[in-house]
């Protein structure tokens, strides 16, 4: 997937693009989107701002993982009758994007990290980890990482020439030649490993 080779960079939280949901019932701050040339995105990271109970937009062919960032929680009510409640700190759920569901706030607004990817093209693994010293990430051909700093501050070793991160910022570590990224700091983060799905066309 050539788009996974997008050069490594840090995306400050102030640069996230704020836009309405498809169904006009909420707001999203988009962190990044990327995909094959001439097609819609295959990978998207964003933060949803939910101020009221609202239906979720449908995304056929997409898998999603939602992580509660701020607020007192949200109930995800699926049309089939299943209800899953996400509570602080940072509970999460993976589900298919075509699922019909409604988000109901437990007690006040929430902000939620939203990872979405095309299941026919990509595999994504999301990890929630404390940052209490150096943490190593290795990008290589076909393997990229996105690092979202939930809180605290962090910096990469100078060899990779990336600026430091503050809480809320995101780093994209593009696939390509095998590269070692050593991240130092204190706080906690979401680390997302992205790679092509086995058998997917490149």
């Amino acid at each position: 997937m050539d788009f996974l080779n997008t050069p490594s960079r840090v995306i400050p939280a102030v640069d996230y693009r704020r836009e309405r949901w498809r169904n006009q019932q909420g707001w999203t701050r988009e962190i990044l989107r990327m995909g094959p040339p001439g097609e819609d995105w295959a990978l998207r990271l964003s933060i949803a701002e939910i101020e009221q109970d609202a239906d979720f937009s449908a995304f056929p062919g997409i898998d999603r993982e939602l992580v509660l960032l701020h607020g007192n929680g949200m109930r995800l009510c699926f049309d089939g009758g299943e209800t899953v409640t996400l509570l602080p700190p940072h509970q999460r759920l993976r589900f298919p994007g075509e699922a019909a569901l409604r988000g109901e706030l437990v007690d006040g607004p929430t902000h939620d990290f939203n990872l979405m990817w095309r299941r026919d093209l990509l595999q994504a693994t999301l990890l929630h980890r404390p940052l209490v010293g150096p943490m190593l990430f290795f990008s290589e051909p076909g393997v990229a990482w996105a690092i979202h700093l939930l809180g605290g501050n962090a910096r990469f070793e100078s060899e990779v020439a990336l600026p430091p991160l503050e809480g809320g910022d995101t780093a994209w570590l593009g696939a390509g030649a095998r590269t070692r990224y050593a991240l130092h700091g204190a706080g906690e983060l979401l680390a997302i490993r992205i790679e092509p799905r086995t058998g997917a066309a490149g």
Side-chain angles (χ1 to χ4, degrees):
M1 304 288 170
D2 289 345
F3 62 88
L4 294 182
N5 298 343
T6 300
S8 299
R9 67 192 191 277
V10 167
I11 309 164
V14 295
D15 290 346
Y16 300 164
R17 187 179 67 185
R18 193 168 186 257
E19 59 186 26
R20 292 290 285 175
W21 287 7
R22 283 182 178 180
N23 62 17
Q24 305 298 308
Q25 295 187 29
W27 290 92
T28 289
R29 284 183 289 144
E30 185 175 86
I31 300 171
L32 67 79
R33 69 166 65 198
M34 55 183 61
E39 297 185 25
D40 204 354
W41 54 266
L43 174 70
R44 187 177 187 232
L45 306 180
S46 62
I47 296 173
E49 303 173 5
I50 304 178
E51 298 179 343
Q52 61 183 350
D53 296 350
D55 296 326
F56 275 47
S57 300
F59 289 92
I62 300 294
D63 280 339
R64 304 180 63 167
E65 190 154 356
L66 197 70
V67 183
L68 181 70
L69 294 181
H70 303 291
N72 293 319
M74 179 172 57
R75 287 181 293 271
L76 301 178
C77 305
F78 292 84
D79 264 10
E82 180 186 11
T83 298
V84 178
T85 302
L86 303 183
L87 296 173
H90 306 311
Q91 283 193 339
R92 54 185 168 144
L93 181 69
R94 179 177 291 215
F95 57 94
E98 49 271 285
L101 74 151
R102 181 173 178 80
E104 297 181 350
L105 299 172
V106 170
D107 182 20
T110 65
H111 288 185
D112 306 276
F113 185 87
N114 194 26
L115 163 65
M116 298 194 287
W117 66 98
R118 269 182 56 180
R119 69 172 68 96
D120 62 330
L121 292 182
L122 300 174
Q123 301 179 96
T125 303
L126 187 150
L127 307 170
H128 175 207
R129 294 289 186 267
L131 179 61
V132 293
M135 184 178 287
L136 298 179
F137 300 93
F138 293 90
S139 64
E140 55 190 302
V143 176
W145 289 86
I147 312 298
H148 180 73
L149 192 64
L150 293 169
N153 54 75
R155 60 176 177 81
F156 290 98
E157 289 185 354
S158 58
E159 289 83 353
V160 297
L162 291 174
L165 289 85
E166 301 293 336
D169 295 347
T170 302
W172 170 258
L173 310 179
R178 182 173 172 83
T179 303
R180 172 185 179 272
Y181 295 88
L183 186 64
H184 299 258
E188 56 184 324
L189 54 78
L190 301 176
I192 305 155
R193 177 186 168 104
I194 303 111
E195 56 193 315
R197 178 165 296 281
T198 302

